[in-house]
Amino acid sequence: GLRSRRRPAEEADVTVGITYGTFDLFHIGHLRILERTRALCDRLVVGVSTDEFNALKGKRTAVPFHDRASIVSALRCVDEVIPEESWDQKQGDITRHSVDLLVMGDDWRGKFDDLADLCEVVYLPRTPGISTTELRGHVVELTANGAFAVVTQG
Ligand code: CTP
């Protein structure tokens, strides 16, 4: 009857947001975009790129998928982590998780506008001055400058 067709209060009232990323060498830019996304919704689902998907993108990570996923899912602002395994899974994710809002960093501006008929699509500005690539660069530089002592045995 009518009663059983009513959506549960939870589903009706809760705004669900989703965002995607690799989150390798987790840094402050990652934390900020997840916190800012969570501020726009009640429940945040994060798609973390698998090692296989990164390989497809020509990206190699320092930290394996299961560790990156564990770190992201331990955050207070994150409610659920799902694996991101392909470019075209977003439509299915949006439907399956009743997503109201897709958030991407503005390095992706315009790229996901075709999903705007399924949910709201928002591009947030990146935190300036930090990226996984830059972080890797700093480590390489510090190593080259001898900031990390190499201990050899006689
Ligand atoms: N991000 C951000 N600010 C930064 C770096 C990343 O807001 N300074 C956002 C990206 O826009 C993306 C999410 O964090 O929405 C995940 O980014 P990811 O590609 O995993 O990290 P980057 O640090 O951008 O990695 P890379 O240097 O490999 O591009």
Side-chain angles (χ1 to χ4, degrees):
L2 270 180
R3 261 190 109 69
S4 58
R5 267 196 276 134
R6 276 176 52 190
R7 295 201 300 161
E10 207 183 294
E11 199 184 317
D13 302 339
V14 172
T15 308
V16 180
I18 196 165
T19 190
Y20 296 86
T22 297
F23 305 102
D24 190 28
L25 302 176
F26 196 88
H27 60 67
I28 194 70
H30 293 151
L31 182 62
R32 292 288 176 253
I33 198 153
L34 295 175
E35 286 180 335
R36 286 183 294 157
T37 302
R38 183 60 176 70
L40 301 173
C41 58
D42 303 311
R43 181 178 157 73
L44 176 56
V45 180
V46 182
V48 175
S49 303
T50 62
D51 297 332
E52 292 76 15
F53 183 45
N54 278 323
L56 204 92
K57 292 190 277 187
K59 208 169 181 174
R60 261 190 70 195
T61 60
V63 180
F65 168 74
H66 279 103
D67 294 355
R68 289 183 284 108
S70 293
I71 290 164
V72 172
S73 72
L75 299 169
R76 193 155 50 203
C77 58
V78 173
D79 296 285
E80 188 176 348
V81 166
I82 59 169
E84 184 193 26
E85 298 175 289
S86 76
W87 290 111
D88 55 12
Q89 74 180 62
K90 291 188 181 65
Q91 190 161 331
D93 292 346
I94 290 167
T95 310
R96 195 171 321 108
H97 295 273
S98 308
V99 168
D100 302 289
L101 172 73
L102 168 70
V103 171
M104 299 295 293
D106 63 1
D107 42 329
W108 294 100
R109 185 170 295 285
K111 294 269 162 41
F112 297 100
D113 288 357
D114 55 319
L115 296 168
D117 48 351
L118 293 175
C119 68
E120 198 181 333
V121 179
V122 170
Y123 303 95
L124 292 181
R126 288 167 62 93
T127 301
I130 179 88
S131 71
T132 297
T133 307
E134 267 182 70
L135 211 50
R136 288 176 86 131
H138 291 316
V139 174
V140 168
E141 203 178 299
L142 286 166
T143 306
N145 292 344
F148 301 133
V150 177
V151 180
T152 52
Q153 285 184 333

